[in-house]
Amino acid sequence: MQNKFIALCVAAVSTFIAIPSSSAASDIPLLSWERGKEQNIVLGGYTNQSSWTIQLVAEGQKPLKFSKSTVNQDGYYVYSLFLPSDFPEGAYRVESLNTGGDATVVAGVQVVEFMFFDIIRVPTKLLFLLTVLIFLISSLSTLRMRRYEQMSYLQSKSEVKLPSVIASFYRLRRSSVAGVQRSLFKHVIKKEGELLHKISPSLWALVPAVTFIFGSYIGIAAGSELGIPSIPIALFFVAAIIGAFDPYSGFTAALGFSILQTMQGHISTMRAVGALMSIALAWLAPGLISSIYREMIAKDSLPKALTRMLPTIFASFFGAAIFYSSELLLSSLLDRTGPIVNSRIDLPIAIGAAVFLKERLEIFIDRRSLSSDANIEVKSIHLSRIISPRAMGVLALFFAGVSYVWTESLVFSAVTALVFTIPLILLQVRFESPVIAALAKVRRSILVESTIVSAISFGVFTYIQSTPFEVIQKGKLIILGAAVPLVIHALFSSLSDTQDRELVDAL
């Protein structure tokens, strides 16, 4: 009897001792983290944590260390860790290590499959997308200089005799481009179609009709249930290659795709509309934007060795960057994964190669035409306007819609649209004053200025990444903070343009 009583007391004491341990275990949070995104842990307060190391641990795997932010005013740190898209799924634990090497479990983590692409939680890809956008808009601000106002190229004379059926498609293409509001992009679309026209006017007339049918087929191939996320990547890539050679045909492919997707009922949300515009960018913008850089860089004062190859090489590189950015933008607007959501680097490289090949082919065709009795003439254009008011309004709505999908904040989306539209608004006006004489001494270059603006934006990104904010808050700060150098450069370009024209008028 006495032995039973002693045993009962020992069991009671053991249970009492075990209670705090069980309670402590129940206080450890259990988290679910998607791989392919940045994850955060907030720790600190009134503890001495400056020398702590936080790591993600699992049996049989090498621990992953979190990066630590600066401390906030309440003594908290934000620890960040990016989980690669191929990170093994399963159960993990977050441990804190003190200077003595003692580990304390901070949280339990279940790493799960990537559900959808949330670009705010992937800072490096958000940075890439913003850098390309900032580089492009800052380039447009620089293009208001008088040096870049003239554009010349060889074109086939319009007097061609075609069969009646082909002639109707010929007139359709010409009239549709003529109906676009006057802007730099209208002229570039016309210019970039000249390669096909020199090869064959019939080909120039018929390819857009064929690509419209092809785009419609892609809309059907995407399926009636999943829609845009299930676009076959091979078909998406072929359409982009066609657009690299002829941006207008890339546009008609996007138009055909849009019509079929709308008929199937997939285009009913802001996400879907933004995704359609992203597809149009992927099929239209690489050939269009690369042509602008190739033309304008050649006008800069560069050494002969650079003038010969740099415009083409950079145009090819930026064409690839534009395509990859369009892919990222498209993926960020979809609410589920699919074949189209990918991060393959070979496709952008192929687009860049296509842009390079097109430029080499155009040089060859032009030389052959000049050495023969071909029916060609020199076309000169005066670029009095970079972007039309209608296009500016569409872009403002696009900026607002994309930022709202990313952050689900109406106020933030409105501010973002305003900040990124300010440089475009400044392109619509020319100021008579103030005239700052010192600006006349500044040597300007489209490549140098855009590179400097992008580098400053990268510095802003680096600083924000070290601040004690969670990834969503940092993403918002990065979007707005990186745009500040862009707005400053746009104001500089406007003032420089005022000084430049005042100087010319005085001669």
Side-chain angles (χ1 to χ4, degrees):
M1 184 69 181
Q2 183 179 6
N3 291 338
K4 290 183 178 181
F5 177 75
I6 294 174
L8 183 61
C9 290
V10 170
V13 171
S14 300
T15 303
F16 179 77
I17 293 174
I19 287 176
S21 178
S22 300
S23 176
S26 65
D27 290 338
I28 297 175
L30 299 177
L31 308 175
S32 179
W33 287 352
E34 290 182 42
R35 58 185 186 177
K37 298 180 180 180
E38 181 178 303
Q39 307 296 344
N40 301 128
I41 286 284
V42 180
L43 296 173
Y46 296 102
T47 60
N48 182 16
Q49 192 197 14
S50 59
S51 59
W52 286 8
T53 298
I54 308 299
Q55 58 186 15
L56 187 66
V57 180
E59 298 299 330
Q61 294 194 31
K62 183 179 179 180
L64 294 181
K65 292 185 178 181
F66 287 69
S67 61
K68 184 174 66 174
S69 72
T70 56
V71 64
N72 71 1
Q73 60 184 2
D74 296 320
Y76 285 93
Y77 294 85
V78 176
Y79 290 86
S80 303
L81 176 67
F82 180 79
L83 297 180
S85 56
D86 58 350
F87 192 76
E89 299 178 42
Y92 295 80
R93 64 185 182 274
V94 178
E95 291 182 349
S96 64
L97 296 177
N98 61 21
T99 54
D102 298 325
T104 302
V105 178
V106 175
V109 173
Q110 183 69 28
V111 175
V112 299
E113 182 57 74
F114 178 83
M115 302 300 294
F116 67 94
F117 184 72
D118 185 357
I119 197 167
I120 292 289
R121 289 188 171 274
V122 190
T124 54
K125 293 186 176 179
L126 175 63
L127 171 65
F128 184 89
L129 181 58
L130 288 176
T131 301
V132 170
L133 177 62
I134 288 168
F135 195 99
L136 176 58
I137 296 180
S138 61
S139 297
L140 295 180
S141 296
T142 308
L143 287 181
R144 68 187 303 161
M145 293 174 58
R146 289 187 304 109
R147 181 196 308 168
Y148 304 114
E149 284 185 343
Q150 291 295 130
M151 177 182 290
S152 300
Y153 58 93
L154 294 177
Q155 72 168 13
S156 300
K157 294 183 179 179
S158 56
E159 296 84 3
V160 292
K161 294 181 180 180
L162 298 171
S164 57
V165 175
I166 299 178
S168 62
F169 286 105
Y170 189 97
R171 291 190 296 270
L172 177 62
R173 173 165 183 168
R174 180 187 293 175
S175 61
S176 62
V177 174
V180 178
Q181 281 192 326
R182 180 171 49 88
S183 67
L184 167 66
F185 297 98
K186 174 182 178 177
H187 296 310
V188 175
I189 286 178
K190 293 172 64 176
K191 173 183 177 294
E192 289 304 293
E194 282 302 312
L195 176 61
L196 281 181
H197 200 288
K198 293 167 192 171
I199 295 173
S200 170
S202 298
L203 199 63
W204 182 85
L206 293 176
V207 167
V210 173
T211 54
F212 177 85
I213 297 172
F214 179 62
S216 302
Y217 172 75
I218 297 177
I220 296 172
S224 58
E225 294 183 4
L226 295 179
I228 292 176
S230 59
I231 297 176
I233 192 64
L235 299 180
F236 181 84
F237 174 68
V238 169
I241 289 288
I242 294 172
F245 279 89
D246 182 20
Y248 181 78
S249 296
F251 169 76
T252 57
L255 182 62
F257 176 83
S258 302
I259 292 174
L260 262 293
Q261 284 289 291
T262 302
M263 290 173 61
Q264 294 179 76
H266 293 306
I267 313 304
S268 57
T269 64
M270 187 181 299
R271 283 181 178 271
V273 173
L276 274 185
M277 295 184 69
S278 302
I279 290 172
L281 285 174
W283 295 351
L284 168 69
L288 198 66
I289 303 300
S290 62
S291 173
I292 295 173
Y293 279 106
R294 185 173 62 246
E295 184 79 16
M296 299 309 175
I297 293 174
K299 296 178 182 293
D300 280 341
S301 300
L302 299 172
K304 289 185 178 180
L306 290 178
T307 303
R308 182 175 301 175
M309 290 302 297
L310 180 61
T312 300
I313 292 175
F314 184 83
S316 303
F317 167 79
F318 205 78
I322 285 285
F323 178 77
Y324 185 65
S325 299
S326 301
E327 281 192 303
L328 292 178
L329 182 60
L330 173 59
S331 299
S332 73
L333 294 171
L334 300 176
D335 57 1
R336 56 185 179 273
T337 59
I340 201 62
V341 180
N342 73 91
S343 57
R344 293 172 54 179
I345 198 64
D346 55 336
L347 300 185
I349 291 175
I351 295 296
V355 171
F356 182 86
L357 178 62
K358 187 227 174 158
E359 197 272 342
R360 295 287 95 187
L361 180 61
E362 193 167 22
I363 292 176
F364 173 77
I365 295 295
D366 284 347
R367 287 176 177 173
R368 190 183 67 175
S369 300
L370 289 171
S371 61
S372 64
D373 296 328
N375 190 26
I376 62 171
E377 60 184 1
V378 177
K379 177 70 173 180
S380 295
I381 300 169
H382 179 75
L383 301 175
S384 57
R385 186 163 67 186
I386 303 298
I387 188 171
S388 67
R390 182 185 302 170
M392 185 188 67
V394 171
L395 284 175
L397 292 175
F398 184 64
F399 292 148
V402 169
S403 57
Y404 178 77
V405 170
W406 288 355
T407 64
E408 298 183 350
S409 170
L410 285 173
V411 175
F412 179 81
S413 62
V415 173
T416 300
L418 176 63
V419 169
F420 279 93
T421 309
I422 286 176
L424 306 181
I425 295 174
L426 291 175
L427 287 174
Q428 306 299 313
V429 296
R430 282 197 168 101
F431 302 105
E432 295 184 359
S433 61
V435 177
I436 303 175
L439 293 179
K441 301 178 181 179
V442 179
R443 295 185 61 182
R444 304 195 59 193
S445 166
I446 186 172
L447 267 186
V448 172
E449 291 182 26
S450 297
T451 301
I452 291 174
V453 173
S454 300
I456 295 174
S457 297
F458 178 80
V460 172
F461 165 83
T462 303
Y463 171 75
I464 293 174
Q465 277 292 91
S466 67
T467 56
F469 297 104
E470 294 187 70
V471 63
I472 302 297
Q473 297 169 312
K474 287 193 291 188
K476 292 180 178 180
L477 290 173
I478 288 169
I479 292 172
L480 295 181
V484 171
L486 181 65
V487 174
I488 295 173
H489 176 260
L491 291 170
F492 165 76
S493 295
S494 295
L495 295 174
S496 180
D497 178 69
T498 300
Q499 163 61 30
D500 187 39
R501 295 180 189 279
E502 178 72 17
L503 185 63
V504 171
D505 293 341
L507 295 178

